[in-house]
Amino acid sequence: RGEIDAICRKNALQDGPALLFENIRGYPGWRCLKESLTARRRMAWAVNIDDPKGFVRRMASKIERQVPPVQVETGPVKEIKIIGEDVDLIKFPFPIAGAFEVTPNVNGAVHTCKDPETGWQNVSIRRLGVKSERHGTTYLTRTQQDSIIYGIWRKRGEPMPCAYVIGADPVLELVSQLKAPMGYCEYDFWGAITGRPLEVVKCETSDLFVPAHAEIVIEGEVPVDERELDTPYQEAWGYHCGCSVTPKFIVKCITMRRDAIYRDISSGWVPNETHRMGGAMAAVSVLRELQKEFPGVIDVNALAMGISLIVIQVEKSATKVWPGLAKYLGSITIFKIVPYCRTVVVVDEDTDIYNLEDIFFALANKFLPSKDMTVFEHIGGVGMLNPVEAWGDGYHTTEAIILDCTEPPPPYDGGYKRGIAKPTEKILRMVEEEWNKYGFKE
């Protein structure tokens, strides 16, 4: 209990490799894959990007030309079919991570559901609380698109069909974290990145489509008004959420490969795969949307919980002619692109947004609280997922902040006109080229 996730966190702190666990106690024959997308370099490998530091910029350009999926008759995920009374969730090797986690959870499965009115199929990553062999709980946050779709089904008085895909390929796991507008199917973004359509198969019990080459698919439905007690879980904000009454999920069918590998994604205490992967794709979403309206945005990085604190890098010339640019960009990020985001920091092009020391340098030397801070109060929150909301107006209501850490506009920028105090670019390049000749080792 907790051993696998404790190993994963130490591995993440050391920027270690992906981990395949074998010989799992109590689950003979099962293997469990963890940490495959914790490191930025592995995210880059998965989408054929050679420079991990350029991952966000390259991904933002890759997803522009979507390619819809193609239906095939069958695939490896259909090799075994378990239907009805034979279904048994308990046989899967769920790693229990948090000290207060009471019931096991399917962590990080790709969840999919469909708008019954438009046919739009949404893809995201969700957890499934396992309550028995054939049912569980599904936590739907009201700011998310799958929760909106569930609301449509409830108005119709019908249960919502959905599926949990365990062991989708890394590209689909990444694009499932995009903050795309309503109506966009993440399967199309998979096609944009790979240059070919994703092969999908029809579910056994609904008209949903799932990846043909996945490891495991759990099919079922969320009834209109049936609820279950959801127990504490190590949530993405790094703390255990409390008990809550959440929608019930009824399992109808499981399909899987003959020798399926169980895929699990760690959450809770940072750093972990949820934070790293979710943050990287949140940054991609922000950069993609902001550059459509303002080409002066250079790059975006996500820190802290991954999507709670976002740093935006802009051209210095842009902030000089538009003093309110930081507030404008931050507002779009918080209210339009990433509803979970609570802090936006805007910096100049001479701040390395992948270097914490550089970011704090900008905060210390370019930020004046009385002029450069914008606070939004009484905005929509995420509930018990984020414990700080209780300190304000209660759960589901929160606050957000924008910190403008760019140089002040004229005539108040005199102290910055000579630039950061450092050697010339020519000398810096020379030192980089001659480094090994000085006797240093890389």
Side-chain angles (χ1 to χ4, degrees):
R1 183 184 178 99
E3 182 181 7
I4 287 179
D5 270 60
I7 292 171
C8 289
R9 183 173 187 273
K10 186 173 180 63
N11 182 68
L13 286 168
Q14 298 174 349
D15 199 26
L19 302 175
L20 182 64
F21 290 89
E22 301 177 311
N23 303 317
I24 303 169
R25 285 193 297 270
Y27 299 94
W30 276 101
R31 294 170 293 166
C32 179
L33 176 65
K34 303 270 287 184
E35 299 289 293
S36 59
L37 293 173
T38 302
R40 183 67 64 91
R41 67 181 183 278
R42 287 196 292 277
M43 297 183 212
W45 292 342
V47 294
N48 198 29
I49 292 175
D50 53 6
D51 177 19
K53 205 169 182 179
F55 175 83
V56 172
R57 295 190 300 275
R58 291 281 303 280
M59 279 290 283
S61 62
K62 273 178 172 281
I63 61 178
E64 285 306 311
R65 296 182 180 179
Q66 290 94 51
V67 179
V70 60
Q71 182 182 357
V72 295
E73 286 299 315
T74 189
V77 78
K78 297 287 191 180
E79 289 174 350
I80 296 176
K81 299 178 183 179
I82 308 169
I83 301 174
E85 295 296 316
D86 294 328
V87 165
D88 185 2
L89 286 177
I90 306 299
K91 71 178 184 180
F92 293 125
F94 311 106
I96 296 180
F100 293 93
E101 189 176 354
V102 178
T103 55
N105 286 271
V106 175
N107 298 316
V110 172
H111 174 270
T112 185
C113 56
K114 181 183 289 188
D115 185 329
E117 298 176 355
T118 66
W120 159 52
Q121 188 166 329
N122 174 251
V123 178
S124 58
I125 284 187
R126 291 289 175 267
R127 69 176 173 94
L128 169 63
V130 178
K131 307 294 284 188
S132 76
E133 292 88 346
R134 290 184 291 279
H135 89 283
T137 55
T138 181
Y139 195 97
L140 299 173
T141 306
R142 67 180 185 177
T143 57
Q144 297 294 347
Q145 294 174 0
D146 50 5
S147 180
I148 296 171
I149 292 173
Y150 177 53
I152 297 172
W153 284 97
R154 289 192 68 197
K155 286 181 180 179
R156 294 163 64 101
E158 302 174 39
M160 179 180 75
C162 56
Y164 288 85
V165 181
I166 301 173
D169 72 273
V171 177
L172 185 59
E173 289 180 346
L174 286 170
V175 298
S176 73
Q177 297 303 285
L178 283 169
K179 308 303 170 186
M182 298 275 287
Y184 283 84
C185 180
E186 286 73 11
Y187 290 164
D188 299 357
F189 291 122
W190 188 98
I193 291 171
T194 63
R196 56 189 173 88
L198 174 66
E199 292 187 349
V200 296
V201 290
K202 186 176 176 296
C203 282
E204 299 295 312
T205 60
S206 72
D207 63 353
L208 291 170
F209 291 97
V210 292
H213 295 272
E215 298 289 322
I216 304 165
V217 172
I218 303 172
E219 300 180 22
E221 63 183 22
V222 182
V224 175
D225 289 315
E226 293 185 47
R227 299 289 185 269
E228 284 275 341
L229 179 66
D230 192 46
T231 53
Y233 173 75
Q234 64 283 359
E235 279 293 355
W237 267 257
Y239 294 87
H240 290 89
C241 66
C243 295
S244 62
V245 178
T246 61
K248 182 178 182 178
F249 175 77
I250 299 174
V251 183
K252 300 174 73 174
C253 174
I254 296 175
T255 65
M256 58 193 292
R257 291 173 179 257
R258 287 194 181 89
D259 191 21
I261 296 174
Y262 187 81
R263 169 77 166 117
D264 188 82
I265 297 177
S266 297
S267 187
W269 196 17
V270 297
N272 59 54
E273 196 166 7
T274 295
H275 298 173
R276 296 275 180 84
M277 179 174 62
M281 297 311 293
V284 171
S285 302
V286 172
L287 182 63
R288 177 173 178 258
E289 293 299 320
L290 292 184
Q291 284 187 331
K292 288 179 181 178
E293 299 190 39
F294 198 86
V297 176
I298 300 170
D299 201 358
V300 176
N301 191 20
L303 304 174
M305 175 265 165
I307 55 178
S308 286
L309 196 159
I310 288 176
V311 184
I312 302 171
Q313 184 188 52
V314 296
E315 294 176 359
K316 194 175 293 187
S317 58
T319 60
K320 296 294 186 183
V321 299
W322 191 349
L325 179 61
K327 184 176 180 180
Y328 173 75
L329 298 176
S331 299
I332 294 176
T333 299
I334 293 167
F335 293 107
K336 180 181 177 183
I337 308 172
V338 187
Y340 282 179
C341 181
R342 292 296 166 260
T343 304
V344 174
V345 181
V346 183
V347 299
D348 292 313
E349 61 198 52
D350 57 8
T351 297
D352 182 354
I353 62 173
Y354 299 98
N355 184 315
L356 278 176
E357 201 164 21
D358 241 28
I359 295 170
F360 284 127
F361 177 84
L363 181 64
N365 291 284
K366 298 182 181 180
F367 174 74
L368 197 64
S370 64
K371 296 179 181 292
D372 297 324
M373 181 169 63
T374 303
V375 177
F376 298 104
E377 301 181 81
H378 316 298
I379 64 176
V382 295
M384 287 194 299
L385 300 182
N386 188 355
V388 77
E389 290 181 15
W391 176 235
D393 293 332
Y395 288 120
H396 295 292
T397 302
T398 189
E399 301 177 359
I401 187 172
I402 302 169
L403 306 179
D404 184 353
C405 296
T406 62
E407 291 180 6
Y412 308 104
D413 58 348
Y416 304 93
K417 286 187 175 180
R418 294 181 181 85
I420 294 174
K422 62 181 182 180
T424 65
E425 290 300 322
K426 180 180 179 181
I427 293 296
L428 291 173
R429 285 195 301 271
M430 183 194 73
V431 169
E432 286 291 328
E433 294 168 0
E434 302 291 326
W435 189 249
N436 290 334
K437 294 182 180 179
Y438 296 139
F440 297 110
K441 294 181 179 180
E442 292 290 348

